[in-house]
């Protein structure tokens, strides 16, 4: 059974701090996606990583896919209150891109 | 210009009732999905349709029956509702089943009393 473990589960920081969220598995994934979900809304795709070792940047967000394609990290530099939300990683199950397994999420709160 | 829309946004009903949730996407996508997000925010896939054909059917009670009248619509009918069905249900779509990106609707919060 493929599982994705996210850590930490909760994170509360002050504006301007840096943070890293982790998504780990014992299984290999053909791709990993990161989504952000705000209260009362559906998840919104931030990025997809496909190649082992791949690094993608989205403004202050840096995403990395592990060399073995079993883990990923999301690093936020100089967090802002607008970064507050639930961050979800998702992996394609059995190499089938549409069949996603989600981690349980990291709830980030950035205080002004 | 809503991409993926769901109705209703909130649904409160009693145990034993039958209810439906509707989903429509105007993105021209071939693939649509239903997800369930529980009270701990765990998001799990339930069904997926590709061009009106069922391609994913996870371990979901057969009280849940998806219906896709055309590739822009995927509705979810739930019979004999139980307390444990209370959750937020999300519809999503993607250009193709092999696409990396999925676009989610705003969710339907179902409360069974």
């Amino acid at each position: 059974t493929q599982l994705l473990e996210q850590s930490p589960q909760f994170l509360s920081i002050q504006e301007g701090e840096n943070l890293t969220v982790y998504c780990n598995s014992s299984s290999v994934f053909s791709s990993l996606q990161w989504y952000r979900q705000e209260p009362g809304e559906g998840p919104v795709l931030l990025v997809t990583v496909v190649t082992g070792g791949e690094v993608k940047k989205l403004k202050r967000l840096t995403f990395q896919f592990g060399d073995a394609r079993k883990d990923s990290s999301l690093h936020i530099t100089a967090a802002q209150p607008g970064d507050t939300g639930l961050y979800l990683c998702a992996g394609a199950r059995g190499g089938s891109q549409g069949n996603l397994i989600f981690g349980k999420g990291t709830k980030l709160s950035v205080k002004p | 210009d809503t991409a993926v829309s769901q109705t209703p946004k909130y649904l409160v009903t009693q145990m034993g009732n039958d209810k439906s949730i509707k989903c429509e996407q105007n993105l021209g996508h071939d693939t649509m999905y239903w997800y369930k997000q529980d009270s701990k925010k765990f998001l799990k896939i339930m069904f997926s349709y590709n061009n009106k054909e069922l391609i994913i059917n996870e371990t979901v009670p057969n009280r849940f029956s998806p219906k896709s009248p055309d590739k822009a619509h995927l509705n979810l009918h739930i019979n004999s509702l139980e307390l444990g069905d209370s959750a937020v249900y999300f519809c999503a779509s993607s250009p193709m089943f092999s696409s990396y990106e999925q676009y989610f609707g705003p969710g339907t919060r179902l409360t069974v009393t």
Side-chain angles (χ1 to χ4, degrees):
Chain A
T1 303
Q2 292 178 296
L3 289 173
L4 282 168
E5 301 286 344
Q6 283 189 245
S7 61
Q9 190 176 355
F10 299 97
L11 192 53
S12 181
I13 61 171
Q14 292 296 130
E15 182 176 1
E17 292 182 15
N18 301 332
L19 67 115
T20 302
V21 174
Y22 299 94
C23 176
N24 296 303
S25 177
S26 57
S27 304
V28 175
F29 286 92
S30 58
S31 66
L32 270 178
Q33 300 176 9
W34 284 92
Y35 289 81
R36 185 171 81 193
Q37 184 179 15
E38 298 190 26
E41 298 181 11
V44 176
L45 179 66
L46 296 173
V47 79
T48 301
V49 285
V50 178
T51 307
E54 183 176 6
V55 176
K56 281 192 174 179
K57 291 194 174 185
L58 187 66
K59 296 183 181 177
R60 294 175 293 100
L61 279 60
T62 302
F63 303 85
Q64 184 161 8
F65 201 11
D67 291 341
R69 291 184 292 130
K70 292 183 179 181
D71 53 84
S72 181
S73 63
L74 158 60
H75 182 79
I76 302 179
T77 303
Q80 298 178 0
D83 296 326
T84 294
L86 178 69
Y87 288 82
L88 297 162
C89 68
R93 189 187 322 208
S96 180
Q97 303 306 336
N99 195 344
L100 294 179
I101 303 170
F102 279 82
K104 293 190 176 181
T106 294
K107 190 168 184 179
L108 172 65
S109 174
V110 182
K111 296 180 178 12
Chain B
D1 60 345
T2 305
V4 181
S5 59
Q6 295 179 229
T7 53
K9 176 75 171 172
Y10 300 96
L11 185 52
V12 181
T13 188
Q14 292 185 324
M15 283 175 55
N17 285 347
D18 303 338
K19 290 293 179 186
S20 291
I21 307 172
K22 295 187 176 182
C23 177
E24 176 181 2
Q25 55 94 2
N26 62 5
L27 298 168
H29 290 171
D30 285 348
T31 309
M32 296 184 73
Y33 310 81
W34 277 111
Y35 287 87
K36 179 180 180 180
Q37 188 172 46
D38 63 23
S39 58
K40 295 186 178 180
K41 302 297 185 186
F42 185 47
L43 195 61
K44 191 172 180 184
I45 193 167
M46 300 172 69
F47 302 103
S48 177
Y49 271 73
N50 189 59
N51 271 320
K52 302 194 298 175
E53 183 179 339
L54 181 66
I55 52 172
I56 295 176
N57 186 351
E58 288 297 309
T59 308
V60 175
N62 57 15
R63 297 181 295 102
F64 290 78
S65 54
K67 283 187 173 55
S68 182
D70 55 64
K71 74 174 191 177
H73 296 84
L74 180 62
N75 304 321
L76 183 65
H77 188 75
I78 315 170
N79 289 327
S80 303
L81 278 154
E82 300 177 358
L83 292 177
D85 297 332
S86 295
V88 181
Y89 292 84
F90 287 98
C91 177
S93 73
S94 62
M96 298 178 292
F97 187 67
S98 59
S99 301
Y100 291 123
E101 69 272 27
Q102 293 190 17
Y103 298 83
F104 284 79
T108 295
R109 181 175 291 278
L110 171 65
T111 303
V112 183
T113 62

